[in-house]
């Protein structure tokens, strides 16, 4: 066996293969990364600009694509204030930073990633659990400020702890959640009926 | 007791620790690099115990949600659980490489002093990070919180100051490895290892900045999480495995190195673009469906090669080996890696299925078996190699005194993790079915699934098997402290020429 190793089973053949395959895959990944980042920059075709929080956002089944898609509707300012692009970005940024600083991802999932102790936040803004579109902003802020008193446990006894969220932080989180709900997630979560949508 | 009595006790304890440390450092059976490896292995075992403890706390909170409410909430327990895992695995890998570096290169480690310093810096930093996680937990929504407390990004929660520290430590480690091989001799294993470490350190940078756009955030986050775990870690483990097979079974270098190159080709060939299976739902373009689906379907192939490789090598030598516990764990690794990372990963990797299973207990099921099977097992094998050498390269074959201990620990750990995996898989099926398929992924649907008796049953089973795992872990720790003590027989000699 030692003397007559065929070329395809030799060490050098596989060494070269390993190098070429790794290099080739990596180059391909870099090219795809450039394209993907272009497509997912805020204001691009898949991730709306932050000022989308001034508009009505919903989630509908698209018959041509055969999957659910976010739809951007008429003007519907958050907390009754129309924000400029810069103001909107600042608010969403504060929301995202708060979500990270409060370690939300170790109970919740965002875009489906995180922990599974609490519900997914990807389309939290659109969840029918908020009852009516008119009151959800206030309900969300109230909930974030005192989650124990306003607990929404659905009979599970799981309560969100009080995370010392300030009024400003709470509003910023709501802005972040509204903006996140407008991202085109290729139909995830599937079959989700948004608030205000009749059965 | 008075304060003085406490002080006296502390002095005695400190003197005892110093004396024990002196004994460890004076061990004539270990080289400089191996002593450093034992340091890494010791901290790894302590962190493994922490992982088990906080896993139990988090698991209990699924069953009793008010347990430790607002003291140690689920997010804190779960974060310590997963971070302890990542860090103990890294400690195990670093230790394993320091363990064989001198034997593989033929020279003493270059810059060992820096390596030792890096160990203490890293260990000090890990301690501070854990204390902050437990005592401070969260901050306000500012950059300061991300720099000092917690970055809030799953698996890489460490505050940014610690990230920078980790990169410095890994670069020191890289210097030790590269400089030692350069001073001594390069082998195939050495080459693959060194290049892999460049990727390991480089990829970590992809997770070290803040962006507002969560799609972009998640895009780079996966570069660390997926490309680390499903590519560079697997290749690192391939190197460690290749070396340990030569050591344990006397496999010829040409055979293991050829296999190592095949594995690298398959692992990077499938794993780098297999990254795409994380890009289905985070806002990224549709072409990732095709690329991610196709390449991740190929990902189990290298893992099959790994199983064949290990079992063939073991069988070709009629399982003659110099360290029974280590070989047992390497076999556990071969199966665990293939089942946990390969089969369990593939089960929900295609978008057609992942649309229903993404972000459910399926991921937890896969995660438990994959991390244990692929990484915990090989580290434990190395802990046994180290224990054997530290005791003077003693006999670790049949009729080993107290051999029941390592066997029982191995059975409890493997059964425990497998049981948790199956329980979580059942929970995952139930969740995909009720929350996703029936209820349409609303919050009401989520809780309908979480409250269902089928889900609760699965969580109770998980707890039972979690306890079994913890008992196995404790037994393993005890065994590693005791195994081979007082053993007089030398280790079995394994000849190197059998084909």
């Amino acid at each position: 066996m030692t003397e007559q190793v065929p070329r395809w089973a030799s060490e050098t053949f596989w060494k070269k293969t390993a190098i070429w395959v790794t290099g080739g895959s990596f180059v391909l990944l870099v090219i795809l990364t450039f394209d993907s980042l272009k497509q997912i920059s805020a204001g691009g075709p898949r991730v709306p600009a932050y000022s989308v929080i001034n508009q009505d956002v919903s989630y509908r089944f698209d018959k041509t694509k055969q999957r659910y898609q976010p739809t951007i509707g008429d003007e519907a300012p958050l907390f009754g204030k129309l924000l400029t692009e810069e103001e909107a970005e600042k608010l969403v940024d504060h929301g995202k930073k708060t979500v990270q600083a409060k370690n939300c991802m170790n109970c919740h999932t965002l875009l489906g990633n995180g922990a599974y102790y609490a519900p997914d936040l990807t389309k939290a803004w659109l969840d029918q659990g908020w009852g009516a579109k008119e009151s959800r902003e206030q309900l969300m802020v109230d909930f974030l400020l005192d989650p124990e008193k306003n607990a929404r446990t659905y009979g599970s006894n799981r309560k969100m702890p009080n995370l010392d969220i300030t009024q400003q932080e709470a509003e910023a989180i709501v802005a972040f959640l509204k903006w996140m709900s407008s991202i085109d997630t290729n139909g995830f979560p599937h079959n989700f009926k948004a608030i205000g949508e009749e059965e | 007791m008075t304060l003085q009595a406490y002080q006296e006790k502390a002095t005695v304890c400190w003197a005892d620790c110093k004396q024990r440390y002196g004994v460890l450092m004076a061990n004539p059976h270990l080289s400089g690099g191996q002593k450093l490896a034992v340091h890494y292995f010791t901290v790894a075992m302590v962190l493994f115990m922490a992982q088990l403890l906080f896993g139990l706390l988090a698991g209990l909170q699924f069953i009793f949600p008010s347990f430790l409410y607002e003291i140690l909430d689920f997010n804190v327990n779960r974060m310590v659980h997963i971070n302890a895992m990542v860090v103990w695995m890294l400690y195990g890998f670093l230790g394993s490489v320091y363990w064989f570096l001198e034997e593989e290169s033929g020279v003493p480690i270059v810059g060992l002093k820096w390596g030792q310093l890096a160990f203490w810096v890293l260990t000090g930093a890990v301690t501070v990070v854990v204390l902050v996680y437990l005592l401070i937990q969260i901050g306000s929504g500012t950059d300061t919180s991300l720099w000092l407390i917690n970055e809030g990004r799953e698996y890489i929660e460490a505050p940014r100051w610690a990230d920078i520290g980790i990169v410095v430590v890994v670069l020191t480690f890289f210097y030790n490895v590269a400089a030692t091989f350069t001073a001594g001799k390069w082998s195939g294993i050495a080459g693959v290892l060194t290049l892999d470490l460049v990727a390991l350190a480089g990829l970590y940078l992809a997770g070290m900045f803040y962006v507002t756009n969560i799609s972009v955030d998640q895009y780079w986050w996966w570069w660390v999480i997926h490309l680390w775990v499903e590519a560079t870690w697997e290749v690192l483990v391939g190197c460690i495995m290749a070396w340990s097979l030569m050591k344990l079974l006397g496999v010829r270098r040409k055979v293991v190195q050829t296999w190592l190159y095949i594995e690298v080709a398959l692992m990077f060939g499938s794993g780098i673009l297999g990254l795409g299976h994380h890009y289905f739902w985070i806002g990224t373009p549709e072409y990732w469906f095709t690329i991610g689906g196709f390449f991740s379907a190929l990902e189990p192939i290298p893992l099959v090669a790994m199983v064949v490789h290990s079992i063939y090598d073991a069988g070709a030598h009629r399982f003659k080996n110099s360290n029974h516990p280590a070989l047992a764990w390497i076999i556990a690794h071969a199966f665990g890696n293939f089942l946990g990372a390969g089969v369990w990963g593939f089960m929900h990797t295609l978008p057609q299925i992942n649309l229903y299973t993404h972000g459910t207990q399926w991921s937890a099921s896969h995660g438990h078996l994959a991390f244990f099977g692929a990484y915990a097992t090989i580290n434990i094998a190395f802990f046994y190699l180290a224990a054997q050498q530290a005791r003077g390269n003693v006999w670790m074959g049949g009729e080993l005194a107290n051999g029941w201990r390592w066997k029982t620990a191995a059975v409890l750990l493997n059964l425990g993790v497998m049981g948790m995996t199956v329980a979580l898989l059942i929970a995952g099926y139930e969740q995909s079915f009720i929350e996703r398929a029936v209820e349409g992924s609303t919050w009401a649907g989520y809780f309908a699934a979480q409250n269902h008796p089928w889900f609760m049953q699965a969580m109770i089973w998980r707890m039972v098997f979690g306890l079994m795992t913890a008992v196995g872990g404790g037994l393993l720790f005890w065994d590693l402290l005791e195994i081979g003590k007082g053993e007089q027989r030398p280790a079995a000699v394994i000849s190197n020429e059998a084909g």
Side-chain angles (χ1 to χ4, degrees):
Chain A
M1 178 177 156
T2 31
E3 288 78 22
Q4 292 291 317
V5 179
R7 219 178 83 78
W8 56 266
S10 70
E11 201 181 329
T12 44
F13 172 79
W14 283 105
K15 187 176 181 172
K16 284 178 192 154
T17 309
I19 293 168
W20 280 104
V21 166
T22 306
S25 309
F26 192 69
V27 168
L28 219 63
L29 177 64
V30 170
I31 294 169
L32 289 169
T33 295
F34 275 110
D35 183 67
S36 289
L37 288 177
K38 202 171 75 196
Q39 294 203 44
I40 62 175
S41 63
R46 307 187 55 88
V47 179
Y50 300 106
S51 56
V52 78
I53 59 173
N54 292 324
Q55 282 165 286
D56 185 59
V57 179
S58 197
Y59 194 57
R60 300 271 157 72
F61 191 74
D62 184 322
K63 280 214 171 92
T64 51
K65 289 191 172 174
Q66 282 295 304
R67 65 165 199 240
Y68 282 79
Q69 286 280 125
T71 50
I72 315 297
D74 304 332
E75 199 169 87
L78 193 60
F79 303 111
K81 281 172 285 187
L82 263 181
L83 302 180
T84 64
E85 190 57 51
E86 291 75 41
E87 288 169 331
E89 179 169 0
K90 220 177 130 205
L91 191 62
V92 171
D93 183 74
H94 190 205
K96 167 109 176 332
K97 225 163 251 177
T98 308
V99 163
Q100 286 185 225
K102 304 291 176 188
N103 199 6
C104 302
M105 247 187 140
N106 269 302
C107 283
H108 293 276
T109 40
L110 290 95
L111 303 177
N113 297 312
Y116 322 113
Y117 191 67
D120 184 50
L121 298 183
T122 310
K123 305 286 175 196
W125 169 254
L126 303 171
D127 201 273
Q128 293 185 339
W130 299 112
K133 278 187 174 186
E134 299 72 40
S135 50
R136 70 179 146 179
E137 288 157 35
Q138 197 51 47
L139 280 176
M140 287 174 104
V141 169
D142 291 347
F143 175 74
L144 289 167
L145 290 177
D146 191 349
E148 192 171 6
K149 208 174 88 196
N150 303 304
R152 314 171 72 84
T153 67
Y154 295 85
S156 70
N157 283 330
R158 277 187 226 167
K159 276 183 298 189
M160 185 165 130
N162 192 326
L163 300 173
D164 300 322
I165 296 169
T166 64
Q167 175 80 27
Q168 264 191 333
E169 285 173 342
E171 290 182 10
I173 292 173
V174 175
F176 169 67
L177 292 176
K178 182 173 183 183
W179 167 75
M180 182 163 63
S181 74
S182 73
I183 296 175
D184 181 358
T185 48
N186 287 339
F188 176 87
H190 180 59
N191 206 19
F192 175 89
K193 297 264 182 316
I195 188 170
E197 199 182 336
E198 298 308 317
E199 285 290 325
Chain B
M1 268 200 296
T2 60
L3 189 66
Q4 202 187 354
Y6 272 115
Q7 272 174 346
E8 273 165 25
K9 261 203 139 138
T11 322
V12 172
C13 188
W14 176 244
D16 185 49
C17 284
K18 260 176 95 169
Q19 195 244 341
R20 278 164 185 266
Y21 188 66
V23 172
L24 170 69
M25 295 310 279
N27 189 330
H29 307 297
L30 300 182
S31 69
Q34 289 177 335
K35 280 174 195 163
L36 182 52
V38 173
H39 281 61
Y40 272 105
F41 292 159
T42 310
V43 179
M45 273 310 288
V46 172
L47 287 168
F48 183 24
M49 296 300 114
Q51 186 205 349
L52 293 173
L53 172 68
F54 285 90
L56 288 178
L57 295 180
L60 271 174
Q61 286 172 326
F62 266 101
I63 304 170
F64 308 106
S66 44
F67 176 61
L68 292 179
Y69 178 67
E70 295 203 329
I71 300 163
L72 280 179
D73 286 307
F74 182 86
N75 63 343
V76 178
N77 292 327
R78 201 257 187 181
M79 171 172 62
V80 178
H81 175 61
I82 60 175
N83 281 211
M85 176 200 71
V86 170
V87 177
W88 91 257
M89 284 176 181
L90 273 177
Y91 265 76
F93 298 156
L94 265 59
S96 301
V97 172
Y98 277 123
W99 183 264
F100 69 69
L101 192 50
E102 281 160 309
E103 248 184 273
E104 185 68 10
S105 65
V107 293
I109 291 177
V110 178
L112 182 62
K113 278 249 160 352
W114 289 106
Q116 286 162 339
L117 181 68
F119 166 80
W120 291 108
V121 169
L122 182 63
T123 305
V126 167
T127 313
V128 174
V129 169
V130 172
L131 287 176
V132 170
Y133 280 172
L134 292 175
L135 301 176
I136 301 180
Q137 300 183 356
I138 49 170
S140 57
T142 57
D143 285 315
T144 320
S145 300
L146 308 189
W147 272 96
L148 299 179
I149 302 173
N150 180 328
E151 274 201 71
R153 298 169 77 210
E154 198 191 8
Y155 291 105
I156 46 175
E157 287 92 346
R160 190 140 322 124
W161 71 266
D163 284 342
I164 295 167
I166 289 168
V167 172
V168 172
V169 168
V170 172
L171 288 177
T172 314
F173 172 64
F174 176 76
Y175 159 68
N176 282 152
V177 172
T180 307
F181 283 127
T182 308
K185 56 179 189 289
W186 283 93
S187 62
I189 296 176
V192 173
L193 177 68
T194 309
L195 289 176
D196 193 56
L197 290 179
V198 175
L200 187 79
L203 286 172
Y204 194 63
L205 300 176
M208 282 177 56
F209 51 88
Y210 171 85
V211 283
T212 309
N213 185 336
I214 192 167
S215 291
V216 175
D217 175 327
Q218 294 271 306
Y219 190 93
W220 291 114
W221 180 78
W222 279 118
W223 272 51
V224 187
I225 305 306
H226 172 96
L227 291 180
W228 256 32
V229 174
E230 284 168 68
T232 57
W233 278 24
E234 286 278 6
V235 168
L236 186 61
V237 160
C239 295
I240 295 172
M241 172 87 139
W243 188 84
S244 58
L245 286 173
M246 288 196 303
K247 176 81 183 170
L248 264 173
L249 294 163
V251 184
R252 283 173 308 131
R253 180 174 285 278
K254 222 176 167 49
V255 174
V256 289
Q257 285 191 170
T258 308
W259 268 111
L260 183 62
Y261 290 129
I262 295 175
E263 277 171 17
V264 172
L266 293 171
M267 198 66 78
F268 281 137
S270 61
I272 290 178
L273 291 170
L275 175 63
H277 67 241
H278 301 293
Y279 292 162
F280 297 155
W281 325 116
I282 64 165
T284 28
E286 286 162 58
Y287 52 69
W288 287 110
F289 280 146
T290 321
I291 297 167
F294 185 81
F295 284 93
S296 58
L298 294 176
E299 276 191 71
I301 294 171
L303 304 169
V304 177
M306 222 160 196
V307 171
V308 174
H309 172 175
S310 315
I311 304 305
Y312 173 79
D313 286 339
H317 296 80
R318 302 201 180 111
F319 287 94
K320 263 193 198 156
N321 69 89
S322 54
N323 187 323
H324 283 197
L327 182 69
W329 279 103
I330 283 186
I331 293 170
H333 164 83
F335 280 105
N337 200 7
F338 169 60
L339 271 182
V343 176
W344 251 257
F346 179 68
M347 276 201 288
H348 69 152
T349 196
L350 296 176
Q352 293 87 335
I353 291 168
N354 196 258
L355 181 59
Y356 291 92
T357 60
H358 178 55
T360 68
Q361 297 291 340
W362 279 70
S363 307
S365 172
H366 163 53
H368 278 75
L369 191 57
F371 278 111
F372 177 78
Y375 305 118
T377 47
I378 193 103
N379 279 340
I380 296 171
F382 256 77
F383 299 165
Y384 275 108
L385 284 177
Q388 180 182 35
Q389 185 64 34
R391 306 260 144 77
N393 200 19
V394 293
W395 178 262
M396 278 207 187
E399 285 141 43
L400 182 69
N402 288 316
W404 66 273
R405 231 163 18 209
W406 75 261
K407 289 175 193 163
T408 314
V411 169
L412 288 175
L413 278 163
N414 282 294
L415 263 188
V417 173
M418 197 66 210
M420 283 196 284
T421 304
V422 172
L424 290 169
L425 183 67
I426 293 168
Y429 266 101
E430 187 269 355
Q431 204 185 341
S432 308
F433 174 51
I434 294 181
E435 176 191 339
R436 295 283 164 80
V438 178
E439 299 267 353
S441 312
T442 55
W443 285 18
Y446 171 83
F447 282 109
Q450 301 289 311
N451 291 335
H452 201 284
W454 288 349
F455 186 85
M456 291 314 292
Q457 261 175 22
M459 283 299 157
I460 291 166
W461 277 114
R462 190 268 288 272
M463 206 60 224
V464 171
F465 284 104
L467 283 168
M468 183 188 281
T469 311
V471 173
L475 197 57
L476 172 76
F477 204 166
W478 181 32
D479 189 50
L480 283 166
L481 292 173
E482 294 292 324
I483 196 168
K485 266 192 184 164
E487 179 64 58
Q488 299 297 326
R489 294 169 288 173
V493 178
I494 305 301
S495 69
N496 215 358
E497 81 284 355

